[in-house]
Amino acid sequence: MKGYNWIAMVLLAACSITAHGQKHHKKTITQDTTIVSEFADSLRMLHSKLNGELEAGLYANNDDGRLYRLFAPLTFYHSVARQKLDINDSVCDNTNREIDMALLNIYLNRPDLVVNSDKRLSRTGTIRQDLDKPVKQKVNLVEKTTQIPDEPQVMPEGLVIRKPNFWTFSGDNYLQFLQNYVSGNWYKGGESNYSMVGSIVLQANYNNKRKLKFENKLELKLGFQTSRGDTVHKFKTNNDLIRYTGKLGIQARDKWYYTLQLLAYTQFTQGLKSNDKNVYSDFMSPFNLNLGLGMDYAVQTKNNKLKGNVNLSFLSFNFRYVDRDNLTGKYGIIGNHNTLEDFGSQLTVDITWQVAQQVKWRTRLYGYTTYHRAEVEWENTINLAVSKFISANIFLYPRFDDNREKDRKLGYFQFKEYCSLGFSYSF
């Protein structure tokens, strides 16, 4: 019971403290008695704690930090002997004086209980005295971020879910004029003429971004011209077209699609020549329908300046109908009927190139062959934008058709060209 032995020594020291306190002046007797009483109470609490009888909170009101030297492992403090040998008693606190006297009594009577010394404690380090001061950390900010403002939490009244729209619509329209005046006495001759051409191109395309697309394009063009040299007709057409192009595609890989393409075209009114009463073409004379099965490649650059598609139909069915009986032979129909059916292959290239901010080039190349006859058309429209609503067009249209009568100069080739200036509108 080593713990109880040093407790007994502490009690001995307490008795010594009492005897020493009686030698002081009467004025300090009351104070010394109080100190000894509190010290005795502390010893009783320690005894109860060692026996496990101390309940929580029993000694909370009797704690005194200055008594730690009596209850901690016994340590030899040089200050105790220094204070005792000092002529002038510099210890003003009676509690500290009595604790020093108790420790000194133990040092003299039971030095075997001392387990530590001042020097040994100093080697392990001292208690920090700056813990009561705030510790300031030096932080270098690499980048200062802006504070995110607190957003008020607003509860939505209702959630609206809209079905995505996979349809896109666009259009390109223009109405342009051309005027040429030549006086009757012009030294080189010639004649005055006036012309007008209008065009409407409408597109409605469906693409669900899941391997299915459906494209529709309707082109309507009609132009008239007058000339003093034509004594038979007041005006006649110089541009006449009704054309529909429809494509249904299923994606094969990346920009390649398995495609079914339908192409149908005819014209609005009669096709005439100057000072000639014959009619060379008319509405539904001819009417051409081409149905092709093949592949389609979508052309589109990163900056969207060049876009369009290339369609190659390996198997294509062509149907031609001529309503006027006197024109059937002119369009390759033999016999007393008005239709022509054949099979072949066809190629369609339709591309738009934004050459510059004010210059746009649209090109369409169409070719169909039955391997006995061939028909090739190459339409080129160069659009020069003067302003938002005013533009000029240059139209170049070479054509090859070996199913027609061969010309002495051009053979099976044909060519058409015009320039115009007027109003335009796109959306």
Side-chain angles (χ1 to χ4, degrees):
M1 299 292 289
K2 185 177 181 179
Y4 288 110
N5 289 335
W6 71 264
I7 291 174
M9 294 304 301
V10 172
L11 291 175
L12 261 150
C15 294
S16 175
I17 292 171
T18 305
H20 183 277
Q22 290 177 356
K23 295 179 183 180
H24 285 77
H25 195 266
K26 291 181 180 181
K27 193 173 184 178
T28 60
I29 292 177
T30 304
Q31 296 177 354
D32 295 341
T33 305
T34 303
I35 293 172
V36 173
S37 176
E38 290 178 355
F39 179 61
D41 292 339
S42 299
L43 293 176
R44 281 194 297 272
M45 283 189 292
L46 179 61
H47 181 269
S48 300
K49 182 177 179 181
L50 292 174
N51 290 319
E53 298 175 359
L54 186 64
E55 295 180 359
L58 204 69
Y59 58 90
N61 296 326
N62 294 313
D63 281 347
D64 193 339
R66 293 173 296 180
L67 302 176
Y68 79 95
R69 292 187 295 175
L70 297 175
F71 299 99
L74 193 59
T75 304
F76 178 75
Y77 298 100
H78 293 83
S79 59
V80 175
R82 190 181 304 113
Q83 294 292 341
K84 184 63 178 176
L85 299 175
D86 192 2
I87 298 175
N88 299 320
D89 191 359
S90 60
V91 180
C92 300
D93 192 336
N94 291 328
T95 301
N96 290 332
R97 181 185 295 109
E98 300 302 332
I99 292 172
D100 289 346
M101 292 301 298
L103 290 174
L104 182 60
N105 188 25
I106 297 173
Y107 295 161
L108 297 175
N109 294 290
R110 291 296 305 270
D112 58 298
L113 298 178
V114 179
V115 296
N116 284 324
S117 65
D118 270 344
K119 291 183 179 180
R120 185 181 297 176
L121 291 178
S122 63
R123 295 193 193 103
T124 59
T126 58
I127 299 176
R128 294 183 60 180
Q129 302 297 326
D130 59 342
L131 295 179
D132 57 337
K133 299 179 181 178
V135 178
K136 295 183 179 180
Q137 301 290 342
K138 293 182 179 181
V139 180
N140 296 325
L141 296 178
V142 177
E143 182 180 357
K144 186 176 181 181
T145 59
T146 58
Q147 185 177 2
I148 301 175
D150 295 333
E151 296 183 0
Q153 295 182 356
V154 180
M155 299 298 295
E157 295 183 358
L159 182 62
V160 179
I161 301 177
R162 295 183 179 180
K163 185 178 180 180
N165 185 13
F166 300 113
W167 285 94
T168 58
F169 303 92
S170 62
D172 192 0
N173 316 302
Y174 64 81
L175 178 63
Q176 298 182 339
F177 304 91
L178 178 64
Q179 181 268 337
N180 180 30
Y181 173 76
V182 179
S183 64
N185 61 347
W186 184 249
Y187 75 104
K188 286 187 177 181
E191 62 178 2
S192 301
N193 60 78
Y194 302 89
S195 63
M196 176 193 71
V197 60
S199 173
I200 298 175
V201 179
L202 302 175
Q203 297 188 67
N205 300 327
Y206 175 88
N207 191 345
N208 66 353
K209 309 298 182 181
R210 294 183 180 179
K211 298 187 176 183
L212 179 64
K213 70 175 183 178
F214 179 41
E215 298 180 353
N216 299 272
K217 185 177 182 181
L218 178 63
E219 299 170 85
L220 306 175
K221 293 182 181 181
L222 183 60
F224 297 96
Q225 69 177 13
T226 64
S227 60
R228 292 180 181 181
D230 188 359
T231 59
V232 178
H233 311 288
K234 289 184 178 180
F235 58 88
K236 53 186 174 292
T237 60
N238 60 2
N239 202 334
D240 196 353
L241 176 66
I242 302 174
R243 183 166 61 204
Y244 167 78
T245 305
K247 289 189 293 185
L248 178 64
I250 299 176
Q251 189 176 23
R253 182 178 179 182
D254 297 334
K255 296 182 179 181
W256 286 97
Y257 289 82
Y258 300 110
T259 305
L260 179 65
Q261 176 177 275
L262 174 64
L263 176 63
Y265 58 95
T266 184
Q267 61 189 62
F268 285 98
T269 185
Q270 299 176 354
L272 307 171
K273 291 183 179 181
S274 297
N275 298 314
D276 190 349
K277 294 183 179 180
N278 294 325
V279 176
Y280 291 86
S281 61
D282 200 353
F283 178 72
M284 298 299 290
S285 295
F287 167 75
N288 289 277
L289 185 145
N290 186 282
L291 184 64
L293 180 64
M295 299 289 291
D296 191 90
Y297 179 77
V299 179
Q300 185 174 10
T301 58
K302 292 183 179 180
N303 54 10
N304 286 330
K305 288 188 175 182
L306 184 67
K307 56 184 178 180
N309 54 72
V310 178
N311 180 267
L312 178 61
S313 297
F314 305 101
L315 178 61
S316 180
F317 169 73
N318 187 73
F319 172 79
R320 178 175 292 173
Y321 171 77
V322 179
D323 186 61
R324 286 178 172 263
D325 294 335
N326 61 330
L327 296 178
T328 56
K330 201 170 189 177
Y331 290 99
I333 300 175
I334 302 173
N336 297 324
H337 50 86
N338 300 83
T339 60
L340 173 67
E341 302 89 11
D342 50 24
F343 291 89
S345 302
Q346 68 91 11
L347 170 69
T348 304
V349 180
D350 196 345
I351 293 178
T352 300
W353 180 21
Q354 189 73 42
V355 182
Q357 187 175 0
Q358 287 83 18
V359 181
K360 182 188 294 184
W361 176 37
R362 299 187 187 93
T363 182
R364 176 184 178 271
L365 176 65
Y366 170 77
Y368 173 77
T369 179
T370 62
Y371 305 103
H372 295 288
R373 68 178 183 89
E375 182 179 338
V376 180
E377 299 177 346
W378 188 21
E379 302 176 30
N380 297 273
T381 304
I382 301 174
N383 180 268
L384 307 174
V386 180
S387 66
K388 184 178 180 180
F389 298 107
I390 298 177
S391 65
N393 280 347
I394 301 175
F395 183 71
L396 305 174
Y397 187 5
R399 188 176 186 274
F400 176 87
D401 187 358
D402 60 1
N403 197 37
R404 303 293 300 271
E405 184 179 352
K406 189 175 182 180
D407 186 78
R408 293 180 180 180
K409 294 182 179 180
L410 299 176
Y412 296 112
F413 286 95
Q414 304 168 29
F415 188 76
K416 185 177 183 180
E417 176 270 337
Y418 68 82
C419 299
S420 60
L421 176 67
F423 301 99
S424 64
Y425 175 72
S426 300
F427 65 92

